[in-house]
């Protein structure tokens, strides 16, 4: 009953938010016609978008996201005020007969960039320009709000027809952690994750916190990963030692970025990764040469067992975080998996990887599989109920190869987005000098 009440309250809130957005869109679309038209447009927009949202939510089944038509409509509504603002910033609203092509092209380009996939990035401005040219012929005095809304709706509709494979899909809504074992449901309680995350997590969980633990691994026992297609007995002893005693090794990292992704990653790093203190990969080999400090912080339960293993990597010279990952293993239907959770504010991004043997005694951990567990998952964690809402991020993939080459421990960590390779992290692991 309580869950149904919360779900009902959530739908009311969603419809209310849609009504506000609809009012802003309606006002923006009709502002060039005078005050009375603006008021009427705001009322019509609030009623129309609110009704559309209510209908979409009523038809939405558990585990589904709202229908495509409602998401497209919402995108257009969000674009209209931005187009109105563009008119004000450029002074175009003072003139009649302004060209709708620049605003439509810019709006299409912005929508395409949000799609991330390279094909969508290219499609956005093309569709936007086509919409703008059409408006130039049919309604040459169309304001920026109309041009922006039309371009975004046109792009989203075209994209939905061209790209039918969903890159993000909702898997579960308001479920218990046990219902999604492939998720590491640990979030950051603040907007900054940082190298002190495990300490703050211990205060939340009530366990005993131990920083920079000596002689511990990211997994307790590699045998936990055994399954029908993977026998840990064939793994090279040095590879096994790295996983079970990770802190015995120091890491050197050389990033190899594809040129096409560098501008986007630079923007992501500046605006998101560094302020967040998470997923802040070195941009160049020169930066990586400053060194990487690696440690494992743990949280121990009342029974004395390690409940949380947090692998914290940071730049050796500045202490700035690179990655903060919570490493776990679990078994499902006779197979073992590695799940790595990257805490985010009130959320978690999880990589669940399937183990496989590599020729020569190496170990491969891969997110691409025909099984239903491996993959990448973005999860919102309700701060009141701890219920999880999880989406599968199918457009992202990674593969980690750890192996021994001429007696030296090596690793390649490769990443793909929408099928395009964009980054390989080359690792060299060597033993730390023993004290005494």
């Amino acid at each position: 009953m309580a869950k149904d009440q919360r779900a009902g309250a959530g739908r009311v809130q969603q419809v209310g938010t849609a009504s506000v957005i609809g009012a802003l869109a309606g006002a923006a679309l009709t502002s060039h016609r005078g005050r009375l038209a603006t008021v009427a447009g705001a009322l019509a927009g609030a009623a129309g978008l609110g009704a559309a949202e209510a209908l979409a939510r009523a038809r939405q089944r558990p585990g589904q996201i709202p229908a495509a038509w409602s998401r497209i409509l919402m995108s257009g509504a969000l674009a209209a005020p931005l187009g109105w603002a563009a008119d004000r910033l450029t002074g175009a609203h003072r003139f009649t007969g302004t060209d709708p092509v620049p605003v439509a092209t810019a709006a299409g380009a912005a929508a395409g960039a949000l799609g991330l996939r390279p094909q969508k990035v290219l499609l956005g401005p093309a569709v936007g320009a086509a919409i703008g040219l059409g408006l130039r012929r049919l309604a040459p005095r169309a304001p920026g709000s109309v041009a922006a809304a039309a371009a975004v709706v046109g792009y989203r509709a075209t994209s939905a027809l061209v790209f039918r494979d969903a890159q993000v899909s909702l898997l579960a809504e308001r479920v218990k952690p046990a219902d999604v074992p492939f998720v590491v449901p640990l979030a950051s309680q603040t907007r900054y994750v940082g190298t002190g995350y495990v300490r703050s997590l211990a205060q939340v969980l009530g366990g005993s916190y131990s920083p920079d633990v000596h002689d511990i691994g990211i997994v307790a026992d590699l045998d936990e990963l055994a399954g029908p297609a993977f026998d840990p007995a064939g793994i090279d002893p040095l590879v096994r030692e790295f996983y079970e005693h990770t802190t015995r090794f120091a890491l050197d990292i050389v990033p190899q970025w594809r040129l096409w992704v560098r501008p986007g990653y630079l923007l992501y790093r500046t605006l998101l990764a560094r302020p967040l203190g998470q997923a802040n990969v070195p941009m160049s080999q020169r930066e990586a040469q400053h060194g990487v400090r690696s440690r494992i912080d743990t949280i121990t339960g009342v029974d004395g067992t390690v409940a949380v293993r947090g692998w914290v990597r940071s730049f050796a010279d500045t202490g700035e975080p690179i990655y903060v990952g919570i490493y776990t293993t679990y078994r499902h239907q006779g197979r073992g998996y590695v799940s790595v959770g990257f805490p985010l504010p009130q959320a978690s991004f999880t990589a669940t990887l399937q183990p496989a043997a590599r020729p020569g005694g190496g170990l491969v951990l891969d997110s691409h599989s025909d099984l239903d567990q491996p993959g990448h998952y973005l999860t919102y964690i309700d701060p009141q109920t701890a219920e999880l809402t999880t989406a599968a991020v199918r457009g992202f993939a990674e593969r980690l190869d750890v192996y021994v080459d001429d007696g030296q421990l090596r690793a390649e960590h490769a990443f793909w987005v929408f099928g395009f390779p964009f980054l390989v992290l080359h690792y060299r692991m060597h033993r730390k000098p023993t004290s005494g």
Side-chain angles (χ1 to χ4, degrees):
M1 179 67 72
K3 184 175 181 179
D4 291 340
Q5 290 176 342
R6 288 195 300 270
R11 285 193 292 269
V12 170
Q13 183 178 11
Q14 291 158 349
V15 171
T17 300
S19 297
V20 172
I21 295 173
L24 293 174
L29 291 169
T30 55
S31 62
H32 62 291
R33 297 183 178 276
R35 292 184 178 180
L36 290 179
T38 301
V39 173
L43 294 175
L49 199 61
E53 182 71 11
L55 178 62
R57 295 291 175 178
R59 292 183 174 181
Q60 181 183 357
R61 296 180 180 179
Q64 289 184 338
I65 58 177
W69 63 265
S70 68
R71 303 198 308 273
I72 293 173
L73 189 62
M74 179 64 73
S75 298
L78 289 169
L82 298 178
W84 176 88
D87 274 354
R88 264 52 188 177
L89 290 174
T90 60
H93 65 290
R94 300 174 184 173
F95 306 98
T96 59
T98 55
D99 191 350
V101 174
V103 173
T105 303
L114 291 175
L116 297 179
R117 197 188 308 196
Q119 301 98 315
K120 289 189 174 183
V121 173
L122 296 175
L123 179 66
V127 172
I131 296 291
L133 290 171
L135 285 174
R136 178 190 284 173
R137 297 189 62 180
L138 298 176
R141 297 185 181 182
S145 57
V146 174
V152 170
V153 169
Y155 161 75
R156 289 294 307 274
T158 303
S159 179
L161 292 173
V162 174
F163 304 106
R164 294 183 175 273
D165 53 326
Q167 299 300 304
V168 178
S169 59
L170 187 64
L171 292 182
E173 189 173 19
R174 294 185 175 276
V175 299
K176 297 178 180 179
D179 296 327
V180 283
F182 43 79
V183 167
V184 180
L186 296 175
S188 173
Q189 304 303 311
T190 65
R191 293 188 177 183
Y192 186 79
V193 181
T195 58
Y197 170 75
V198 182
R199 180 191 298 272
S200 62
L201 179 63
Q203 297 175 351
V204 175
L205 300 180
S208 177
Y209 169 69
S210 298
D212 199 2
V213 177
H214 176 67
D215 200 16
I216 192 172
I218 51 178
V219 302
D221 189 340
L222 207 62
D223 290 339
E224 296 174 358
L225 303 182
F230 176 64
D231 182 6
I235 298 301
D236 188 287
L238 192 56
V239 174
R240 176 184 283 270
E241 184 182 6
F242 171 73
Y243 276 95
E244 297 178 352
H245 303 276
T246 311
T247 55
R248 293 179 183 176
F249 299 85
L251 285 75
D252 294 327
I253 179 175
V254 177
Q256 182 183 356
W257 291 91
R258 293 296 180 102
L259 290 177
W260 67 268
V261 81
R262 283 177 174 267
Y265 177 71
L266 181 61
L267 184 64
Y268 153 82
R269 189 185 193 192
T270 302
L271 299 180
L272 188 61
R274 280 180 164 166
L276 189 60
Q278 178 66 291
N280 180 28
V281 178
M283 188 69 185
S284 64
Q285 184 175 352
R286 176 182 296 179
E287 185 179 13
Q289 286 174 344
H290 291 287
V292 175
R293 182 170 184 262
S294 171
R295 76 174 200 258
I296 295 180
D297 295 353
T298 65
I299 301 175
T300 304
V302 293
D303 59 354
T305 61
V306 176
V308 173
R309 299 166 187 259
W311 195 6
V312 181
R313 280 160 283 181
S314 58
F315 291 102
D317 57 344
T318 65
E320 185 180 11
I322 297 175
Y323 272 120
V324 181
I326 306 300
Y327 280 70
T328 67
T329 60
Y330 75 98
R331 298 190 62 78
H332 179 75
Q333 296 182 352
R335 300 175 186 268
Y337 299 93
V338 175
S339 281
V340 188
F342 299 96
L344 302 170
Q346 217 54 64
S348 174
F349 184 77
T350 301
T352 295
L353 310 173
Q354 178 185 356
R358 173 188 167 118
L363 173 63
V364 175
L365 295 174
D366 201 338
S367 68
H368 181 73
S369 173
D370 293 331
L371 302 174
D372 62 352
Q373 299 291 296
H376 292 85
Y377 306 97
L378 183 61
T379 300
Y380 168 74
I381 304 168
D382 190 299
Q384 303 299 324
T385 66
E387 293 175 326
L388 310 180
T389 298
T390 298
V393 186
R394 306 188 190 281
F396 196 83
E398 65 179 293
R399 175 188 170 103
L400 175 62
D401 288 66
V402 181
Y403 59 96
V404 177
D405 181 24
D406 195 21
Q408 300 295 314
L409 196 57
R410 300 285 186 266
E412 273 94 40
H413 200 169
F415 299 86
W416 293 262
V417 61
F418 311 122
F420 292 90
F422 70 92
L423 170 64
V424 179
L425 298 175
H426 301 275
Y427 286 99
R428 292 188 177 187
M429 293 85 87
H430 52 274
R431 291 187 185 276
K432 297 177 181 177
T434 56
S435 58

